[in-house]
Structures are given as structure tokens and as C-alpha cells.
């Protein structure tokens, strides 16, 4: 009897362990589903909000369906609301800013991590100091500088601001990946007579594609949703972006809430689609650059 009980004991422990593991996974999935639904509720509310008129916005519950969906809200903001112009501005300013930021950050990170020269750590420290500078504290100095350079109310002031403030964060993400690159590849390229510039563009830059995709997505989300710089430096309608253009529907006496909801929905959809398509790149890039050596 004792021998049989001893033989059955490990089997009972293993079965109990499997049951606890299944219960743990089930509880984890339930928590994740609740969190996912909680994250999606604001998007559902905004979608319903954009299909209502002013009376339905204030008289109906937040998640109530409108009596008749007002799809004309989207047509009105795109045609008479000049949202098409704001959307185009947001797209090209974001694309140019992201491209410049990632390229310049790659240049600096390559020079600091892969080349030996005096003062490299000092330069790195100066760039990292930029992470500690609040954006609001720079608005007046930047506005004064752009005013003297005649850059106010131009898209160039926005692009320069985006690049300057996103460089430290982009470099911080790139550093871990560049430190982990094998030097044997570069040494073999040098032995074959490859110049530094050619080695960077033909060998190093293609190897950093995953982390470059990560930094591009992060910068794109920030630039697309940025409000402070555009609201401070831009005054004319032809240079405004989506985040500031939504203010056109807020009047002194009346506010078109349905148009505001449609504008916000239009501004959210592109960045949401890009993030859903390339979200795995963010995890891949961060994980690839998280281990040094």
C-alpha cells in the first residue's frame, strides 16, 4: 500500500500543477481581454460621437446609437472644413521629420559607438541632456529665434523642432543596437578597402533596419499627435496640421461637436492602422537592442 501511494504521489502533484497552470493562463487571458476592451471603449465612443449631431451628443447616453448616422459630418469636415489640407500637412511634415530624425540619429550613434575619437562620450552626454529639457520651457526662446530668422508660420520651424526634440530619444533606442553589432563585419569591410561612408550606408544601415523601424514608428506617433509647437509657431490655415485644425469647429457661440468627432476620428485612423500593421516591429527592435555585447 505504501509503495502504491508513493508511486501515485508524483502523478497527483503533476496533475495539480497542470491544473494550476491552466487556471493561471485562463485568469491572465481574462485580465488581458478586459484591458483590451477597456482600451477599445474610447475608440467606440469616438466613432459613435462622430456620427451624432449636437442635440444627440447632449441628449443621448455616451454609447447610445444615433437615430440616424450623420455620415455627412465626415464629408463636411473634408470639404468645407479644410481638413484635407490639414491632413496633407500632417502627412508630409511627419514623413520628412521622421526621415531626418532617424537618419541624423543614425549618423551620430554610428560615430559615437563605432568610431574612436576624443570627446565622443561628452557629445553623447550633451545629446542625452536633451531628454531632461521640458518642451514648454523652450517655447519662448524658440519662438524668438524663429521670429528673428523669419521662420514663424512656416513648416520648417515645425520640422526643426520635431527633429531636435526627437533626436535624444531616437539615439537612446539606437545605442543598444549599435553596441551589439559585431565588429568583425566592419573589420572585414575595411580589409576589402571599403570607405567609412560606404560601410555605413551599405553594411551598417541595412543591419539596423529593425531598430530603425521601431524609432520611425515612435517618432511618427509623436509628430502626428503633436499640438504645442504647431499651435505656437503656426498662425495661417494653409500650414496648420490636423491637431490644430480641429479648433476651426469651435466658435464663439456655437460648436459643431459632430464635426470635431469626425476630425478626431480621421486623425486617429492613419496612425492606428500603421501601428497595428507594424506593432511587432516595435517589440522586435527594442528586444534586439536591449542586450549589449
Amino acid at each position: 500500500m505504501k509503495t502504491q501511494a508513493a508511486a501515485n504521489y508524483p502523478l497527483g502533484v503533476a496533475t495539480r500543477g497542470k491544473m494550476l497552470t491552466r487556471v493561471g493562463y485562463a485568469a491572465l487571458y481574462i485580465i488581458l481581454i478586459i484591458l483590451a476592451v477597456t482600451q477599445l471603449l474610447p475608440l467606440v465612443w469616438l466613432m459613435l460621437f462622430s456620427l451624432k449631431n449636437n442635440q444627440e451628443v447632449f441628449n443621448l447616453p455616451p454609447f447610445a446609437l444615433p437615430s440616424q448616422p450623420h455620415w455627412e459630418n465626415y464629408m463636411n469636415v473634408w470639404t468645407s472644413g479644410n481638413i484635407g489640407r490639414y491632413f496633407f500637412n500632417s502627412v508630409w511634415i511627419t514623413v520628412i521629420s521622421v526621415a531626418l530624425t532617424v537618419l541624423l540619429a543614425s549618423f551620430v550613434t554610428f560615430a559615437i559607438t563605432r568610431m574612436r575619437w576624443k570627446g565622443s562620450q561628452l557629445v553623447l552626454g550633451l545629446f542625452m541632456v536633451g531628454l531632461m529639457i521640458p518642451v514648454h520651457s523652450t517655447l519662448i526662446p524658440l519662438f524668438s529665434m524663429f521670429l528673428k530668422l523669419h521662420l514663424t508660420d512656416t513648416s520648417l520651424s515645425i520640422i526643426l523642432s520635431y527633429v531636435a526634440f526627437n533626436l535624444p530619444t531616437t539615439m537612446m533606442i539606437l545605442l543598444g543596437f549599435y553596441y551589439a553589432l559585431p565588429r568583425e563585419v566592419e573589420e572585414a569591410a575595411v580589409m576589402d578597402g571599403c570607405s567609412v561612408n560606404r560601410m555605413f550606408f551599405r553594411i551598417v544601415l541595412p543591419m539596423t533596419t529593425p531598430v530603425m523601424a521601431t524609432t520611425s514608428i515612435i517618432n511618427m506617433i509623436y509628430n502626428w499627435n503633436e499640438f504645442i509647437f504647431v499651435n505656437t509657431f503656426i498662425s495661417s490655415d494653409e500650414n496648420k496640421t490636423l491637431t490644430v485644425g480641429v479648433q476651426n469647429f469651435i466658435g464663439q457661440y456655437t460648436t459643431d461637436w459632430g464635426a470635431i468627432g469626425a476630425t478626431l476620428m480621421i486623425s486617429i485612423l492613419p496612425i492606428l492602422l500603421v501601428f497595428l500593421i507594424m506593432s511587432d516591429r516595435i517589440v522586435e527592435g527594442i528586444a534586439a537592442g536591449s542586450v549589449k555585447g
Side-chain angles (χ1 to χ4, degrees):
M1 295 294 293
K2 290 184 180 180
T3 305
Q4 185 177 1
N8 292 335
Y9 179 74
L11 182 61
V13 172
T15 304
R16 193 180 309 162
K18 291 181 179 180
M19 291 181 61
L20 291 176
T21 302
R22 292 177 181 176
V23 171
Y25 275 113
L28 178 62
Y29 281 121
I30 291 174
I31 294 174
L32 292 177
I33 291 173
I34 294 174
L35 292 175
V37 172
T38 305
Q39 295 292 326
L40 290 175
L41 282 179
L43 294 178
V44 175
W45 171 83
L46 182 59
M47 183 63 186
L48 297 175
F49 183 88
S50 66
L51 298 176
K52 298 177 182 178
N53 55 28
N54 284 359
Q55 293 180 350
E56 292 173 335
V57 167
F58 292 103
N59 295 332
L60 294 179
F63 291 97
L65 295 173
S67 57
Q68 183 179 357
H70 295 274
W71 295 104
E72 63 271 15
N73 289 338
Y74 289 88
M75 293 297 299
N76 292 337
V77 300
W78 194 264
T79 55
S80 60
N82 206 23
I83 293 301
R85 178 66 180 179
Y86 303 151
F87 185 87
F88 175 75
N89 289 339
S90 294
V91 170
W92 79 266
I93 289 176
T94 299
V95 170
I96 292 179
S97 301
V98 170
L100 286 176
T101 303
V102 175
L103 186 60
L104 293 177
S106 299
F107 286 159
V108 179
T109 308
F110 175 78
I112 292 175
T113 59
R114 317 304 292 182
M115 302 174 67
R116 295 180 180 179
W117 49 284
K118 293 182 179 180
S120 60
Q121 296 303 313
L122 176 62
V123 172
L124 176 61
L126 291 176
F127 275 101
M128 292 299 104
V129 168
L131 293 170
M132 299 181 288
I133 300 177
V135 175
H136 302 83
S137 65
T138 64
L139 291 178
I140 295 178
L142 283 176
F143 184 84
S144 178
M145 181 183 68
F146 290 146
L147 189 63
K148 293 178 181 178
L149 296 175
H150 304 286
L151 292 179
T152 53
D153 200 19
T154 63
S155 301
L156 184 58
S157 62
I158 304 301
I159 294 174
L160 291 176
S161 302
Y162 289 173
V163 173
F165 276 90
N166 288 333
L167 266 178
T169 304
T170 306
M171 288 178 56
M172 185 177 62
I173 299 174
L174 292 175
L175 279 172
F177 194 92
Y178 270 80
Y179 276 124
L181 291 177
R183 292 189 176 272
E184 290 77 9
V185 178
E186 300 174 22
E187 293 173 356
V190 172
M191 293 294 293
D192 291 337
C194 185
S195 63
V196 176
N197 295 333
R198 188 177 181 184
M199 179 175 61
F200 174 76
F201 286 104
R202 299 292 297 272
I203 298 176
V204 176
L205 208 60
M207 292 172 63
T208 59
T209 301
V211 72
M212 287 177 62
T214 301
T215 55
S216 298
I217 295 172
I218 294 174
N219 281 290
M220 180 176 58
I221 294 174
Y222 171 82
N223 294 343
W224 186 270
N225 296 322
E226 201 279 325
F227 175 83
I228 298 176
F229 288 134
V230 180
N231 191 50
T232 304
F233 303 145
I234 303 298
S235 57
S236 61
D237 280 345
E238 61 181 15
N239 293 322
K240 288 182 179 179
T241 59
L242 271 174
T243 53
V244 178
V246 70
Q247 294 180 340
N248 289 354
F249 303 102
I250 302 175
Q252 183 177 0
Y253 301 104
T254 59
T255 300
D256 193 346
W257 293 105
I260 292 177
T263 304
L264 294 176
M265 201 66 196
I266 292 174
S267 66
I268 288 175
L269 286 178
I271 201 70
L272 184 63
L273 291 175
V274 172
F275 183 80
L276 290 176
I277 293 172
M278 303 185 67
S279 59
D280 56 334
R281 288 283 186 173
I282 297 180
V283 179
E284 179 183 353
I286 294 177
S290 61
V291 180
K292 178 180 175 181

